[in-house]
């Protein structure tokens, strides 16, 4: 398995477990669909869409600055 694929799968796994701790009412406002469009979705469908939406959001570069800041906090010494 390619390294990039492994990281994507690991991220989706984390997102899925995050979604497992959320109710449908918590998921609906963060899905990239109007809430009334998801009213008839099951909780499981909302969880799957949450994972897809969040992965797309990250891949589009929306968190690049925050990701870089977190990476530096975790892996680099202060002032480096």
């Amino acid at each position: 398995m390619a390294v990039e694929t492994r990281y994507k799968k690991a991220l989706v796994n984390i997102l899925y477990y995050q979604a497992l701790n959320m109710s449908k009412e918590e998921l609906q406002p963060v899905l990239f669909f109007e809430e009334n469009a998801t009213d008839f979705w099951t909780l499981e469908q909302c969880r799957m869409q949450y994972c897809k939406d969040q992965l797309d959001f990250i891949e589009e570069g929306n968190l690049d600055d925050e990701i870089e800041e977190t990476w530096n906090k975790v892996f680099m010494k202060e002032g480096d």
Side-chain angles (χ1 to χ4, degrees):
M1 179 181 323
V3 173
E4 182 178 337
T5 301
R6 180 176 291 130
Y7 281 119
K8 277 186 180 182
K9 286 183 176 185
L11 179 56
V12 169
N13 188 60
I14 291 166
L15 290 168
Y16 180 73
Y17 278 98
Q18 184 179 45
L20 285 177
N21 292 311
M22 298 170 77
S23 67
K24 183 175 177 179
E25 291 74 24
E26 292 170 314
L27 288 165
Q28 282 182 294
V30 296
L31 296 176
F32 295 168
F33 288 85
E34 294 292 324
E35 284 186 46
N36 60 358
T38 61
D39 283 343
F40 299 102
W41 290 14
T42 66
L43 176 57
E44 189 66 11
Q45 287 172 309
C46 289
R47 288 174 175 155
M48 296 302 127
Q49 191 61 47
Y50 172 81
C51 295
K52 293 172 188 177
D53 289 350
Q54 293 304 307
L55 185 61
D56 286 344
F57 185 78
I58 293 165
E59 288 182 326
E60 290 174 8
N62 292 294
L63 295 177
D64 285 354
D65 292 340
E66 187 175 342
I67 289 168
E68 187 67 25
E69 183 180 322
T70 303
W71 181 268
N72 289 337
K73 282 181 183 179
V74 173
F75 291 105
M76 297 183 165
K77 294 179 184 176
E78 285 291 319
D80 281 352

